[in-house]
Amino acid sequence: MACQFRILSTALCAVLFLTYQCISVSEEITLQAQEKLEELLTKSAAGSNGHPGLIEIAGSDFEKFITRGPRPYYLLVVLTAISSGNCQPCEQINPAIQALAKTVEEQRSKIDHSDASELWANPEQTDVFIINADFANNRNVFQRLGLSTAPSIVLVPPSKSRKEIPLARFFKSISNKFTYALSSGRSEQDIGNWIASTAKINWLQFGSQMELPKIQYIIGAILMLPALLYVGRKLIDRLRRSMWIYAVVCVAVYSFVIGGGMFSSIRNSPWLHKDGSKIGYIAHQSRYQFGVETYIIGGLNFMAGVAAFVFIMSQRSDQPQIKSHKFFSLFRFIPTFLSLGGVLVGWYFIVWCYNFKNGHYNYGHVGMKG
C-alpha cells in the first residue's frame, strides 16, 4: 500500500511540475510576443523617412521580427533593391507600399492592444505591419535567402511557437497563398485587399464603400427618365442617325485600346514615373507601361489614322460624289505631302516608342550593327 502511495505521489508531482513548466513557458512566450508587438507598434508609428506605418529593417531585425517566433501579428515583407538605382519595378511599386503603410497605420486604432492575454484570441483582429527590407541594408539576408530578383512581397503569418525559420528555407516555408504575385496589381488597393482577404482580417478596408442614394432620389430618377426620353426623342433620333458620332466613338475606343488602356486600367499603372527632378513618360520594360503611355500611343495612332483618311480623301477629291459633298469637297485643298507626312510622323514615333521599350529591336534592323 505504501509503495502504491509513493508511486501515485511521484506521478502527481511529475504532472504538477510539467503543468507548471507549460504555464511558465506559455507566460514567457506571451511576454516575448507582447514585447515584439510593442516595439513594432512604436516603429510603425514613427515611420521611416517621413512615411508613417513603414518599418525599415536592417541587421538582425529580419530574424528578430520575421523569422523568429513568437509572432502575434502578420508581416507584409517587401524585399526591394531601390538603393541600387537600377530596379525600376521596385521604384514603381514603392509609392503604393508607402501609401499602403500609411493607410494601415491610420486604421490600426480599430485594434485593442490593452490586453496581452488576447494576443491570439481573435484572428480577425490580428495586427499587420508593413516591413521594407532593402538590399543595401540587408545584403547578408538577401544572400542567405538566395534572392536574385526584386521586388518580392510575402505575407508572414502569426505564430505562437518560438521556432525560427532558417533563412535558406524561408520561401519554401511560406505557403504559396502568402506570396503576392505582382501581376495581380501594383496599387495600394490591390495589395491591401489581398492582405485583408488572405489574412481574413476585418478591420482593414481599402477603397471607397459604395453607398446607394436615398430612396426618394431613386424614385424621382425612375419617374423623370421616361419624361426626359420623350421630350428629347427628336434629338436622340437625330443623334442616332448621325454616322459622325459612331465614327468618333469608334476611333476613340480604338485609340484607347490600341494604346494599352485596358492594361493600365486593370493593372492600375502609375500615371508616370518620377525620380527626383526626372520624369519618365515611357516605361523601359516591354511588358509594362505608365498610364500616360495609353494616350501617347493612342494619340499617335489617332493622328496617323486621321492623316491616312485625309490622304485617301484628298486623292479622291476629283470624283463627282466628293466634289458635290458639302464637307468632303474641302479635302481637295489639303496638300498631299501634309497628310502623307502626318502618317509618316505617327508611324515613326510609334516605332520609336517600341524601340525605346525594346532596345534590341534597333528600329527593325534586328541583328544588324553599324
Side-chain angles (χ1 to χ4, degrees):
M1 187 73 179
C3 182
Q4 291 179 350
F5 179 77
R6 284 196 298 271
I7 293 174
L8 289 174
S9 300
T10 304
L12 181 60
C13 289
V15 170
L16 292 174
F17 177 77
L18 292 173
T19 303
Y20 173 78
Q21 286 291 96
C22 289
I23 294 174
S24 299
V25 170
S26 178
E27 290 178 350
E28 185 180 351
I29 290 175
T30 301
L31 181 60
Q32 289 178 356
Q34 184 67 19
E35 288 176 352
K36 291 171 70 173
L37 178 60
E38 289 176 355
E39 189 171 351
L40 285 175
L41 286 171
T42 302
K43 288 178 177 289
S44 183
S48 173
N49 298 322
H51 300 290
L54 187 64
I55 302 174
E56 294 278 352
I57 62 171
S60 61
D61 287 344
F62 199 94
E63 291 92 338
K64 179 180 179 180
F65 296 112
I66 300 173
T67 61
R68 188 180 305 141
R71 294 184 302 273
Y73 44 71
Y74 280 96
L75 291 171
L76 184 78
V77 183
V78 185
L79 297 150
T80 65
I82 295 176
S83 57
S84 66
N86 58 4
C87 181
Q88 195 171 24
C90 300
E91 296 174 359
Q92 291 166 357
I93 203 170
N94 192 47
I97 297 299
Q98 293 171 350
L100 172 66
K102 181 180 179 182
T103 301
V104 171
E105 184 61 27
E106 290 172 350
Q107 297 189 29
R108 199 183 307 282
S109 59
K110 300 176 184 178
I111 303 176
D112 183 12
H113 298 100
S114 59
D115 192 351
S117 63
E118 298 292 324
L119 287 178
W120 289 282
N122 188 0
E124 294 182 351
Q125 291 290 307
T126 305
D127 223 320
V128 178
F129 295 98
I130 311 301
I131 304 291
N132 188 68
D134 191 78
F135 174 73
N137 301 322
N138 300 273
R139 292 176 182 270
N140 184 47
V141 171
F142 272 62
Q143 292 173 359
R144 292 168 66 186
L145 288 173
L147 190 64
S148 58
T149 59
S152 291
I153 301 177
V154 294
L155 185 65
V156 181
S159 174
K160 294 182 181 179
S161 171
R162 289 187 292 185
K163 183 179 178 181
E164 183 172 352
I165 305 172
L167 284 174
R169 297 183 54 82
F170 177 73
F171 289 107
K172 291 182 180 179
S173 64
I174 301 294
S175 172
N176 288 335
K177 75 173 184 176
F178 291 116
T179 302
Y180 184 72
L182 294 176
S183 58
S184 300
R186 303 184 181 216
S187 70
E188 171 201 357
Q189 187 170 339
D190 291 329
I191 303 173
N193 286 330
W194 174 76
I195 295 172
S197 61
T198 303
K200 294 181 173 56
I201 50 180
N202 57 16
W203 61 270
L204 196 57
Q205 295 179 349
F206 291 87
S208 58
Q209 301 298 313
M210 191 175 108
E211 296 182 3
L212 292 175
K214 295 181 178 180
I215 187 66
Q216 58 265 35
Y217 296 124
I218 297 176
I219 295 174
I222 293 174
L223 294 176
M224 289 182 62
L225 184 60
L228 292 173
L229 291 175
Y230 179 79
V231 172
R233 65 189 185 281
K234 292 184 179 180
L235 177 62
I236 294 172
D237 188 61
R238 286 180 59 187
L239 295 175
R240 181 182 63 83
R241 295 170 181 268
S242 176
M243 292 304 297
W244 280 103
I245 293 178
Y246 292 102
V248 170
V249 170
C250 288
V251 170
V253 172
Y254 168 79
S255 300
F256 179 78
V257 173
I258 201 69
M262 294 300 295
F263 178 95
S264 299
S265 300
I266 294 172
R267 300 292 181 87
N268 200 12
S269 304
W271 179 248
L272 44 79
H273 174 66
K274 288 185 177 181
D275 183 11
S277 60
K278 298 180 180 179
I279 299 178
Y281 301 96
I282 308 293
H284 276 283
Q285 303 175 52
S286 61
R287 296 187 179 184
Y288 189 74
Q289 70 174 43
F290 302 127
V292 71
E293 280 188 59
T294 294
Y295 301 95
I296 293 174
I297 302 300
L300 291 172
N301 276 278
F302 176 78
M303 182 186 73
V306 170
F309 174 77
V310 172
F311 174 75
I312 293 171
M313 295 303 294
S314 64
Q315 301 305 304
R316 298 176 60 196
S317 59
D318 58 341
Q319 296 183 8
Q321 63 270 32
I322 303 296
K323 285 183 178 181
S324 60
H325 197 277
K326 183 178 179 180
F327 298 107
F328 289 168
S329 59
L330 300 175
F331 282 109
R332 69 178 183 272
F333 299 110
I334 300 177
T336 300
F337 76 88
L338 192 63
S339 55
L340 187 59
V343 174
L344 294 175
V345 169
W347 168 81
Y348 173 81
F349 280 105
I350 290 172
V351 174
W352 182 90
C353 290
Y354 184 83
N355 193 78
F356 182 80
K357 297 172 74 70
N358 302 270
H360 63 277
Y361 183 65
N362 194 23
Y363 291 99
H365 303 105
V366 181
M368 299 177 64
K369 296 182 179 179

